[in-house]
Structure formats: C-alpha cells, structure tokens
Amino acid sequence: MATQRLTKHNAAMVRLGVHTAETLGADALLLLLDGATDWKRVRDTADSKLTLIVAVDSESDLEGAAEAGLKPLALNKEKAPLLERLQHALLEAAADELIRPNGEVVTVYSGFQQGRFDSISHMQLDERMRRLSVRDLQRLESSVPLKTLKAVVDLAVQIGREGREGKPVGAMFVVGDTRRVIEHAKDSGADPFRGYNKKHRNLMDPRVSEDAKEISQLDGAFVITPDGFIERSRQMLEVAHEDLQMSKGLGARHWAGAAITRKTKAVSVVVSQSTGTVRLYQNGDLVMRIEPMDKAVKWQEFNYDPPPTGAE
C-alpha cells in the first residue's frame, strides 16, 4: 500500500487550499495524493464545511477515508501523467455528483516532487468539461456503461498525447449499439482483430490496448461493444451528415463520428490527428472535449545559420 505522510508542510498546504477555496467561493477542495494517509487528521486539518475530495490511484489506499468524513475517489491511474490524473479525478467527481459541472474546484497536488504538496490550482469546470454535465454522464451510462466509456476515453487521450513512433495519429472509436453500427460500416482493409477469441479483444486488457494503439495508425474506426470488447477495427462508416452542424476545420473523421451517433445510440470518441484533441459525440452533438495538455515534448536539433560575412 502506497502512503503519503501528512507532514507539517503538507498540512500547511491543505490549510492554504481550504483558505483559497473559501476565499474564491469554490464548491470543493480536491486533494490528489500519491497514497494513503491519516484521513482523520486530513479532515481535522482542513477544519472546513467544504466538500473535501481525496483522490488516490488504488481503492485499498482509501480505507478509512469515507469514515473520516471525506469523499474518496479511486483513479487507477498510477502511471498516467499528472494532468490526466487531475482530469480523471474531475470526471469521477462530477459522475458521483460531488461537484457541479459548472462549478469551481481548488486542487492541491504534488506537481514537482512525489509525496510533497507543492501546487494549488483553481479550476473552473465549465472550461475543463465544456458541455459535459452530470445529467450527460448519466445519459451516456444508460446506453454505454461508464466503465467502458472511461476505458475508451483513456485510450484515446493516450493516442492523442503520444501519437505513434513520434508521429501524430488520429483515431475513432464507436462504442455501443454495436449491431446497428455495423450495419453502417464496411472494412477498409484487413481487420487485425477479426477471428480472435473474445478474451483477446478485451479493451480493459493493457495488452489489447497497446495493440489498438498500433492499429490506430491504419485507416478506419474501432467498433466497441458496450462491455468493452473490440468487435471490429479498420471500419469505414457510411452515414449521411448533411443535417449536422460542426465546427469549422474538423475533418471527415469527426463528421463520420458525429453522424454515426445520429443514426444509432452509440457514442463516438474521436482523436484529432492535427491537435491530439479528443471529442465525444452523442446524438450527433459534441458532449465533451479533452485537450492534450500533457503532450510530450519533442526535442529537436537547434539549427543556426550564421549571417553572411561582412553583415552588420
């Protein structure tokens, strides 16, 4: 079990977070920790009527948090970058109705040194979550289990942030209402997943997710069942989109992703090749957008051309 000591420094940061949240009128204080701690002491240190959310990666690390009067969140994101963990914590908190989708949250976290609180952020969720609301999440879960949707979104975010082999990659996942989606799809080439046993197509399996990342470099969409299995890959979607209204600059992948959700009850998750942005569509509408805030830095050689001889 991972632990994070509530040192004198960390306790001071918690109190500063509470003061910031109360001063700004935020709805909640979110503590993003690297492991279990003395939860009762956290509650006593905060000494506030604010909703106090504590998020760690493992469910086991949260033992005793609820009993201490805290709102626990298990992220299962141990190896994910910091901002991805923060985004996921916000999504989880909104899904559990711990925060309002258009509210404000102050977060305290370890931005530079593990186990040591050193950063405080004030987050306005209407900017972070766009049109996503608790009602939207509940509606999405009614057609696609939230667990499956999160797994697909996590994979899409990784593809948008990392690309493949140093190159940006676009991708599309169509989740749910599988039979009707397939009626509008045809192969764009050999499907690497076709013929494999179901257990080898489970997107919850990290090995399958890695395979999907590689295949995302090829043309076509992934068709994902509601329980998280890859039913088809490399699918071209044949759907009309004349009645859709889309933002300027979005390509055929986004138009097809939105259109298939107008024709079916599926949710589409689309990764932009040019920007890495991940967009979710339902009923032909954009319901969520995630920006690639964690994109890896690509180092390049510094080229310098000296001025011509005699130049001033």
Short mmCIF file of all heavy atoms in Angstrom, two decimals, residues 147-171:
data_model
loop_
_atom_site.label_atom_id
_atom_site.label_comp_id
_atom_site.label_asym_id
_atom_site.label_seq_id
_atom_site.Cartn_x
_atom_site.Cartn_y
_atom_site.Cartn_z
N LYS A 147 -17.85 2.57 -17.19
CA LYS A 147 -16.56 1.90 -17.12
C LYS A 147 -15.96 1.70 -18.51
O LYS A 147 -14.77 1.95 -18.73
CB LYS A 147 -16.70 0.55 -16.42
CG LYS A 147 -15.41 -0.24 -16.30
CD LYS A 147 -15.64 -1.57 -15.58
CE LYS A 147 -14.34 -2.37 -15.48
NZ LYS A 147 -14.56 -3.68 -14.81
N THR A 148 -16.78 1.27 -19.45
CA THR A 148 -16.31 1.08 -20.83
C THR A 148 -15.94 2.41 -21.45
O THR A 148 -14.89 2.54 -22.09
CB THR A 148 -17.39 0.39 -21.67
OG1 THR A 148 -17.67 -0.90 -21.12
CG2 THR A 148 -16.95 0.23 -23.11
N LEU A 149 -16.81 3.39 -21.27
CA LEU A 149 -16.55 4.70 -21.87
C LEU A 149 -15.26 5.30 -21.36
O LEU A 149 -14.46 5.86 -22.13
CB LEU A 149 -17.72 5.63 -21.58
CG LEU A 149 -17.71 6.96 -22.34
CD1 LEU A 149 -17.76 6.74 -23.84
CD2 LEU A 149 -18.86 7.84 -21.89
N LYS A 150 -15.01 5.18 -20.06
CA LYS A 150 -13.77 5.71 -19.50
C LYS A 150 -12.55 5.01 -20.08
O LYS A 150 -11.53 5.64 -20.37
CB LYS A 150 -13.79 5.57 -17.98
CG LYS A 150 -14.73 6.53 -17.28
CD LYS A 150 -14.72 6.27 -15.78
CE LYS A 150 -15.67 7.22 -15.06
NZ LYS A 150 -15.73 6.93 -13.61
N ALA A 151 -12.64 3.69 -20.24
CA ALA A 151 -11.51 2.95 -20.80
C ALA A 151 -11.20 3.42 -22.22
O ALA A 151 -10.03 3.59 -22.59
CB ALA A 151 -11.81 1.45 -20.80
N VAL A 152 -12.24 3.66 -23.01
CA VAL A 152 -12.04 4.12 -24.37
C VAL A 152 -11.49 5.54 -24.39
O VAL A 152 -10.56 5.85 -25.15
CB VAL A 152 -13.37 4.04 -25.16
CG1 VAL A 152 -13.21 4.67 -26.54
CG2 VAL A 152 -13.83 2.60 -25.31
N VAL A 153 -12.03 6.41 -23.54
CA VAL A 153 -11.55 7.79 -23.48
C VAL A 153 -10.09 7.83 -23.04
O VAL A 153 -9.28 8.57 -23.59
CB VAL A 153 -12.43 8.63 -22.54
CG1 VAL A 153 -11.79 9.99 -22.28
CG2 VAL A 153 -13.82 8.82 -23.14
N ASP A 154 -9.75 7.02 -22.04
CA ASP A 154 -8.36 6.97 -21.58
C ASP A 154 -7.42 6.57 -22.72
O ASP A 154 -6.35 7.17 -22.90
CB ASP A 154 -8.20 5.97 -20.43
CG ASP A 154 -8.83 6.46 -19.14
OD1 ASP A 154 -9.14 7.67 -19.06
OD2 ASP A 154 -9.02 5.66 -18.22
N LEU A 155 -7.82 5.56 -23.49
CA LEU A 155 -7.00 5.11 -24.61
C LEU A 155 -6.89 6.21 -25.65
O LEU A 155 -5.81 6.47 -26.19
CB LEU A 155 -7.61 3.85 -25.21
CG LEU A 155 -6.92 3.29 -26.46
CD1 LEU A 155 -5.46 2.98 -26.19
CD2 LEU A 155 -7.66 2.04 -26.95
N ALA A 156 -8.00 6.88 -25.95
CA ALA A 156 -8.00 7.95 -26.94
C ALA A 156 -7.08 9.10 -26.51
O ALA A 156 -6.33 9.66 -27.33
CB ALA A 156 -9.42 8.46 -27.18
N VAL A 157 -7.14 9.45 -25.23
CA VAL A 157 -6.28 10.52 -24.71
C VAL A 157 -4.81 10.15 -24.85
O VAL A 157 -3.97 10.97 -25.23
CB VAL A 157 -6.63 10.82 -23.24
CG1 VAL A 157 -5.57 11.71 -22.59
CG2 VAL A 157 -8.00 11.49 -23.15
N GLN A 158 -4.48 8.90 -24.57
CA GLN A 158 -3.09 8.44 -24.73
C GLN A 158 -2.65 8.54 -26.18
O GLN A 158 -1.53 8.98 -26.48
CB GLN A 158 -2.96 7.00 -24.23
CG GLN A 158 -3.11 6.85 -22.73
CD GLN A 158 -3.15 5.39 -22.29
OE1 GLN A 158 -2.60 4.53 -22.96
NE2 GLN A 158 -3.84 5.12 -21.20
N ILE A 159 -3.50 8.13 -27.10
CA ILE A 159 -3.17 8.21 -28.52
C ILE A 159 -2.98 9.67 -28.93
O ILE A 159 -2.03 10.02 -29.64
CB ILE A 159 -4.26 7.55 -29.37
CG1 ILE A 159 -4.27 6.03 -29.14
CG2 ILE A 159 -4.06 7.85 -30.86
CD1 ILE A 159 -5.43 5.31 -29.79
N GLY A 160 -3.87 10.54 -28.46
CA GLY A 160 -3.76 11.95 -28.82
C GLY A 160 -2.52 12.60 -28.25
O GLY A 160 -1.92 13.47 -28.88
N ARG A 161 -2.11 12.18 -27.06
CA ARG A 161 -0.94 12.76 -26.41
C ARG A 161 0.36 12.19 -26.96
O ARG A 161 1.32 12.92 -27.23
CB ARG A 161 -1.00 12.52 -24.90
CG ARG A 161 0.14 13.18 -24.12
CD ARG A 161 0.06 12.87 -22.64
NE ARG A 161 0.29 11.46 -22.37
CZ ARG A 161 -0.62 10.64 -21.89
NH1 ARG A 161 -1.84 11.08 -21.64
NH2 ARG A 161 -0.34 9.37 -21.67
N GLU A 162 0.40 10.87 -27.16
CA GLU A 162 1.66 10.21 -27.50
C GLU A 162 1.87 10.06 -29.00
O GLU A 162 3.02 10.06 -29.46
CB GLU A 162 1.68 8.81 -26.87
CG GLU A 162 1.53 8.82 -25.36
CD GLU A 162 1.26 7.43 -24.80
OE1 GLU A 162 1.23 6.46 -25.60
OE2 GLU A 162 1.07 7.31 -23.58
N GLY A 163 0.77 9.89 -29.80
CA GLY A 163 0.95 9.50 -31.19
C GLY A 163 1.57 8.12 -31.24
O GLY A 163 1.54 7.35 -30.28
N ARG A 164 2.15 7.80 -32.37
CA ARG A 164 2.86 6.53 -32.50
C ARG A 164 4.14 6.76 -33.27
O ARG A 164 4.17 7.41 -34.30
CB ARG A 164 2.02 5.47 -33.25
CG ARG A 164 0.71 5.11 -32.58
CD ARG A 164 0.85 4.73 -31.14
NE ARG A 164 1.53 3.46 -30.92
CZ ARG A 164 1.95 3.05 -29.75
NH1 ARG A 164 1.79 3.81 -28.68
NH2 ARG A 164 2.54 1.89 -29.63
N GLU A 165 5.24 6.23 -32.69
CA GLU A 165 6.56 6.33 -33.32
C GLU A 165 6.92 7.78 -33.65
O GLU A 165 7.48 8.08 -34.69
CB GLU A 165 6.61 5.48 -34.58
CG GLU A 165 6.37 3.99 -34.31
CD GLU A 165 6.41 3.15 -35.57
OE1 GLU A 165 6.55 3.74 -36.66
OE2 GLU A 165 6.29 1.92 -35.46
N GLY A 166 6.56 8.69 -32.72
CA GLY A 166 6.93 10.08 -32.88
C GLY A 166 6.07 10.87 -33.83
O GLY A 166 6.34 12.05 -34.09
N LYS A 167 5.00 10.26 -34.36
CA LYS A 167 4.14 10.95 -35.31
C LYS A 167 2.73 11.08 -34.75
O LYS A 167 2.24 10.18 -34.06
CB LYS A 167 4.09 10.19 -36.64
CG LYS A 167 5.44 10.06 -37.34
CD LYS A 167 5.30 9.28 -38.63
CE LYS A 167 6.64 9.15 -39.32
NZ LYS A 167 6.52 8.36 -40.59
N PRO A 168 2.04 12.20 -35.04
CA PRO A 168 0.65 12.36 -34.57
C PRO A 168 -0.26 11.36 -35.25
O PRO A 168 -0.07 11.01 -36.42
CB PRO A 168 0.30 13.79 -34.96
CG PRO A 168 1.22 14.12 -36.08
CD PRO A 168 2.50 13.37 -35.81
N VAL A 169 -1.26 10.88 -34.52
CA VAL A 169 -2.18 9.86 -35.03
C VAL A 169 -3.61 10.28 -34.71
O VAL A 169 -3.89 10.77 -33.62
CB VAL A 169 -1.89 8.48 -34.38
CG1 VAL A 169 -2.98 7.47 -34.75
CG2 VAL A 169 -0.53 7.96 -34.84
N GLY A 170 -4.50 10.10 -35.67
CA GLY A 170 -5.92 10.30 -35.44
C GLY A 170 -6.59 8.94 -35.28
O GLY A 170 -6.08 7.93 -35.76
N ALA A 171 -7.72 8.90 -34.60
CA ALA A 171 -8.40 7.62 -34.39
C ALA A 171 -9.87 7.88 -34.09
O ALA A 171 -10.25 8.99 -33.71
CB ALA A 171 -7.75 6.85 -33.24
#
